[in-house]
Every structure is written in structure tokens, then in C-alpha cells.
Amino acid sequence: MASAQDTNGDGTDLVLVEEYGFTRILALNRPRQLNALSFPMGNGRAFCAGGDVAAVAHSITEGHWTFGANFFRNEFTLNYIIATYSKPQVSILHSIVMGGGAGVSIHGKFRVATEKTVFAMPETALGLFPDIGASYFLSRLPGFFGEYVGLTGVRLDGPEMLACGLATHFVPSMKLALLEESLTRVDTSDPNVICAIIDQFSQQAPVKESSAYNRLDLIEKCFSKRTVEEILSALEQEAENGAIEWITAAIQSLKKASPISLKISLRSIREGRLQGLDQCLIREYRMCCHVLRKEVSKDFFEGCRAILVDKDRNPKWEPSRLDLIDDKMVDRYFSKVDDWEDLKLPTRRGSAAASISKL
């Protein structure tokens, strides 16, 4: 029997589990919260809108930073288990997939997008950074598209996810019921068999003409720069050559985001290029702990207040400008946390550890 903390207010379970022979279907079930991940944990209009960071921030305000540290420890461990799990996971990314929602799906073997999928890593607008192993998968997107997605928090649709590799398949929503029914009838965990089933329902999906993905040359020209300041300057120079909608939106997003979040996010993605998923998660966990301890900035708590609690959408960042942040401040986020243990990931068998899905 589920405990009170494992259920919604109406007594329904936070995670619904169905069994069909070799297949298990797990549905996140916090529809009112857009299936935000909580300690105990979809139905509704979202696959998963991320981790319940508002609850984390509130608990720290009322108690101690270690509550949040334990939340992220559990979340990152789950991400790693999903990435190294021996059986294939099929994630149906129907509607909103953000932050922590990416963590429980992108690391899996198969990611199915639809025409209703909306993906984003919006953490820099919250005073955080793309975590859940995002420095691993963002850094492996074509060119410098990962820097663009991670720094600006831009929303990608299903065809864009498929094109850049975040999704493995595109299936029209009208075929999802048939796909799920076919998957429940399989009597094997062979990923080749699973892939063949999904292939029967998938199709190519052209990227819209206005998508930034069609201009990877400009993405590389701007987002390959060494610093956030240089990236912003390059974008502004391109904007002077003619108004391109995605460039204008990127500039606005960067100027609204937390300056310290932008700095640590860029460095995190760049380091992720040279690290395995386990190394990325361990480093990101350190970064989260420093954020929670408010050692350099309180931007995460201010972002939660402005975006999720008061919803005035007018955060007061501190430091307020990029030029007020020096290298020592950024370095602090990547250092070992005083009097706190690093993330210890479970030991996985060789075959499972080698099964991390390649984008």
C-alpha cells in the first residue's frame, strides 16, 4: 500500500505502474504540477516539466540545504541507473519535457517525440544550470547547438529534437496508442526488436524553416566563443546584419538570465565534452550543492521566487552583471564541497555501463 507521501491529495499514486508480460509502463501522475519530480515520485498535459525545484527551495528556506542535496543525489542516481539499465527504456515524450523530465528520458535508449512535444532546459532563467547529466548530452549535440540550447533555454519541438538527436524517433500522436499496444505485446528485451516496432510507427519530420537548427553555421560562429560575453557580442553583431527571430530571442534570453548561471553553465557544458556521464553527474552534483549553500550567489532562490512562487518574473540577480563575476567565483562551483560527500554512483556491470545511449 502506498504511503501518504507517495500519493496525491486524492489518494492516487504519484507513479502509476502497469504490467504487460515483458513490458512495464510507468506513468508520472502529478498532473496539476505538470508531473514535476518530487521525492516520493504522467498524466495530464505534460510528460514532465522538471524537478520540483520550488519545493526544494522552500524546504531549504524552512530547514537546511542538505534536504535539497539529498533530493539531487537521488535524482542524479536515478539518471545514471536509467542510462546504464540493461533493459531498453522507451520514453513517450508527448508534450512538455523540461529539466528533470529530460533526466528521466534522454538517458534512456529510445526517446519518442510527437508534434506536441516541447523540450527545454530553462535552468539559467531560474538561477540554476542544466543539470541531470545535461552537460553530457548537450555537449554531444551537433556543433555548438548544445551551448545554444543550454544557455538560452530555447524551446525545441519534436522535429528539432529528432534532427539534433535528443529524440530517436518521431511518431504522430494519433499513432501513440497503437505504438504502446504493440510494445506491450513484445516477449523480449532485445533493443533491435524494440526499435523495429517503433520504426513501424515513426516517420521523418521536417524542421521548420525558421528553426535555428537550420543555421548551425551561425550557431557555431556565435556559441563557439570562449566566454558568455563573447557569445552575446557575436549574437548582437549578427543581429545588426539583419533581424533574425531566433537570434533576437537568444539575445533577450541571455540578458534576462542569471549572469552567474550563464557562466557556470557554459563551463559545465564545455567540460562535459571531455567527460563520461558518471563524471558529469558527479561534477554537476557538486555544483548543485554549492548553489544550495548560497556560497557565491542566492540566484536560485531568487529565481524560484520570481518565476515559480510570486510569479512577477522580475528576478533581482546578484551579481547583476557578467562583468562582476570573476574566475574564482566560477571555480568555487566546481570545487569539492566542504564537509560533504561527493555523489557515489552505483557500480554497474560492464555491459550495462557500456550501454549509455549515444546521441
Side-chain angles (χ1 to χ4, degrees):
M1 180 179 294
S3 65
Q5 66 175 2
D6 296 328
T7 61
N8 291 300
D10 59 2
T12 57
D13 292 338
L14 297 179
V15 178
L16 306 178
V17 181
E18 297 179 68
E19 298 184 12
Y20 297 91
F22 277 68
T23 305
R24 300 294 182 271
I25 298 179
L26 279 68
L28 305 182
N29 190 36
R30 297 182 75 204
R32 292 183 61 186
Q33 295 84 9
L34 300 184
N35 290 331
L37 299 176
S38 62
F39 242 136
M41 336 195 12
N43 286 336
R45 63 188 179 93
F47 169 78
C48 179
D52 197 346
V53 292
V56 171
H58 176 74
S59 67
I60 295 171
T61 300
E62 296 295 319
H64 196 265
W65 73 273
T66 55
F67 177 91
N70 288 328
F71 171 88
F72 286 115
R73 184 187 299 277
N74 288 343
E75 183 180 27
F76 290 8
T77 299
L78 174 62
N79 298 152
Y80 186 69
I81 290 173
I82 289 172
T84 57
Y85 197 53
S86 60
K87 298 182 186 298
Q89 172 180 306
V90 181
S91 297
I92 309 297
L93 309 177
H94 190 47
S95 193
I96 301 171
V97 185
M98 295 185 180
V104 295
S105 58
I106 301 301
H107 295 301
K109 185 71 174 178
F110 301 109
R111 291 92 59 188
V112 179
T114 76
E115 76 281 0
K116 296 183 179 180
T117 303
V118 179
F119 172 93
M121 297 299 292
E123 286 82 2
T124 59
L126 277 173
L128 196 57
F129 63 93
D131 56 346
I132 50 85
S135 63
Y136 177 82
F137 64 74
L138 288 178
S139 64
R140 283 157 177 79
L141 298 187
F144 291 84
F145 196 66
E147 278 89 339
Y148 166 63
V149 172
L151 295 179
T152 67
V154 63
R155 296 188 173 194
L156 304 180
D157 60 21
E160 289 170 316
M161 288 189 71
L162 182 67
C164 74
L166 287 169
T168 59
H169 296 80
F170 181 93
V171 175
S173 57
M174 67 176 63
K175 295 183 179 181
L176 288 182
L178 292 174
L179 170 60
E180 291 184 24
E181 182 181 354
S182 295
L183 289 173
T184 62
R185 294 200 298 265
V186 299
D187 57 0
T188 176
S189 58
D190 184 341
N192 294 318
V193 174
I194 305 301
C195 186
I197 292 174
I198 305 174
D199 285 343
Q200 295 176 20
F201 300 93
S202 66
Q203 64 184 50
Q204 291 301 311
V207 173
K208 60 181 181 287
E209 186 176 351
S210 61
S211 172
Y213 192 76
N214 290 322
R215 295 305 309 271
L216 288 179
D217 57 329
L218 282 182
I219 292 288
E220 179 165 359
K221 183 177 181 180
C222 297
F223 285 88
S224 64
K225 301 299 184 183
R226 188 178 64 86
T227 67
V228 178
E229 292 92 330
E230 291 171 335
I231 290 173
L232 187 53
S233 176
L235 287 168
E236 290 175 333
Q237 290 178 19
E238 291 300 325
E240 291 176 0
N241 298 330
I244 300 178
E245 184 178 353
W246 69 263
I247 290 182
T248 301
I251 293 171
Q252 293 174 346
S253 295
L254 292 175
K255 289 185 174 181
K256 290 180 180 178
S258 158
I260 192 68
S261 291
L262 292 174
K263 291 270 191 174
I264 64 175
S265 296
L266 180 60
R267 177 167 164 181
S268 180
I269 295 170
R270 294 280 163 84
E271 290 196 4
R273 273 191 163 84
L274 304 175
Q275 297 177 328
L277 175 60
D278 54 347
Q279 295 170 302
C280 288
L281 287 168
I282 291 169
R283 171 178 42 73
E284 290 174 11
Y285 182 69
R286 285 186 178 184
M287 295 170 67
C288 281
C289 289
H290 286 296
V291 167
L292 299 176
R293 287 161 65 106
K294 310 177 188 178
E295 294 171 333
V296 178
S297 171
K298 299 179 181 178
D299 278 4
F300 170 58
F301 300 89
E302 172 61 9
C304 286
R305 180 206 64 77
I307 307 300
L308 302 176
V309 181
D310 296 340
K311 299 182 180 180
D312 57 37
R313 307 192 73 82
N314 186 32
K316 305 299 183 183
W317 305 127
E318 185 62 40
S320 60
R321 303 195 313 270
L322 292 167
D323 62 332
L324 296 177
I325 302 169
D326 59 36
D327 290 342
K328 287 185 178 180
M329 296 169 70
V330 175
D331 289 343
R332 184 67 178 271
Y333 286 91
F334 294 80
S335 64
K336 193 175 187 312
V337 182
D338 294 336
D339 303 318
W340 192 251
E341 187 177 45
D342 274 337
L343 177 65
K344 302 294 184 184
L345 294 170
T347 301
R348 311 295 280 171
R349 290 177 297 178
S351 59
S355 69
I356 296 176
S357 182
K358 302 297 183 184
L359 292 171

